[in-house]
Amino acid sequence: MSVSGKTLSHVLRMTILTLVILVGTAGQSDCWAQYSVKAQFDVKVPMRDGTMLSCDIYRPDTTGKFPVLLQRTPYGNYGPEQGYRYASKGYVVVMQDVRGKNDSDGKFNPFVNEITDGYDSQQWCGTQSWSNGKVGTYGGSYVGATQWLPARMANEHLSCMFTVVAASDYYRHWIYSGGVFAHSFNTMWGALSVSAR
């Protein structure tokens, strides 16, 4: 697969933005400072249609505003290792079950609600009292889809995205591959997607 210079330039810019939010942001006195961490589990966040999505939130146990790292996943939002690690460095980590999965309300319909739910979640993260208004998203596979899909809505708080092993064209690079239905992948992923609420 050939990659254009424009694509490489875009990837380089996104990588630099990701490093900026992961390593530190302007105004933080010491991006390597160690903070005690406060964790909140199963915090319900309302979407525009009233559906409540479940979030686990890890944040520095101190006053002040911090950049937010948001991960939206169908695979279960329980991730204390990364939550405590990033929060101890001065970030708020919000790990959210997507609609209809695990502790979130609603019905899981792959890809369908990720645009508006992603936008609403970014908006919520960017406007909380502990947020400095900058939201970065991260993760791979379907968790990458939960980043790419709402990106087109250009939320004012979205500062960067770090997606790995994630398709940007779900028809040609997920459901079909080179025009052929990806039967084995879709059977496996479909079974995994419906096996856990």
Side-chain angles (χ1 to χ4, degrees):
M1 169 179 28
S2 63
V3 178
S4 70
K6 185 176 181 180
T7 301
L8 284 174
S9 174
H10 177 72
V11 169
L12 180 59
R13 282 196 310 271
M14 290 306 292
T15 301
I16 290 170
L17 283 172
T18 301
L19 290 174
V20 166
I21 197 167
L22 290 177
V23 173
T25 58
Q28 281 188 267
S29 60
D30 181 5
C31 65
W32 300 113
Q34 293 290 322
Y35 292 94
S36 296
V37 176
K38 177 179 182 178
Q40 297 172 272
F41 300 101
D42 198 26
V43 175
K44 299 298 188 185
V45 175
M47 298 296 102
R48 63 186 64 192
D49 65 354
T51 300
M52 304 297 278
L53 302 189
S54 175
C55 296
D56 288 352
I57 302 172
Y58 304 83
R59 59 189 177 91
D61 190 11
T62 186
T63 57
K65 296 178 181 291
F66 300 91
V68 180
L69 299 176
L70 170 65
Q71 183 177 90
R72 303 186 62 252
T73 178
Y75 306 120
N77 68 356
Y78 184 70
E81 181 180 339
Q82 61 183 295
Y84 279 102
R85 182 181 339 129
Y86 296 143
S88 74
K89 303 297 184 187
Y91 298 92
V92 175
V93 180
V94 177
M95 303 180 80
Q96 182 183 75
D97 287 327
V98 298
R99 181 184 295 247
K101 297 299 277 183
N102 303 291
D103 296 322
S104 285
D105 296 338
K107 179 180 178 183
F108 180 63
N109 193 350
F111 307 112
V112 173
N113 296 297
E114 305 308 351
I115 296 172
T116 54
D117 285 356
Y119 180 92
D120 293 351
S121 299
Q122 293 166 11
Q123 190 67 25
W124 185 86
C125 288
T127 56
Q128 297 306 296
S129 61
W130 33 254
S131 173
N132 71 357
K134 295 183 179 184
V135 177
T137 59
Y138 69 104
S141 191
Y142 192 87
V143 182
T146 68
Q147 299 174 68
W148 282 120
L149 288 167
R152 69 182 75 177
M153 294 184 73
N155 188 290
E156 63 183 319
H157 299 290
L158 182 62
S159 297
C160 70
M161 300 170 14
F162 185 73
T163 60
V164 293
V165 295
S168 59
D169 183 328
Y170 305 105
Y171 180 79
R172 289 189 292 177
H173 300 130
W174 193 300
I175 308 303
Y176 290 82
S177 180
V180 178
F181 181 71
H183 186 269
S184 62
F185 173 79
N186 286 299
T187 301
M188 178 273 303
W189 189 80
L192 175 67
S193 296
V194 298
S195 64
R197 174 165 152 34

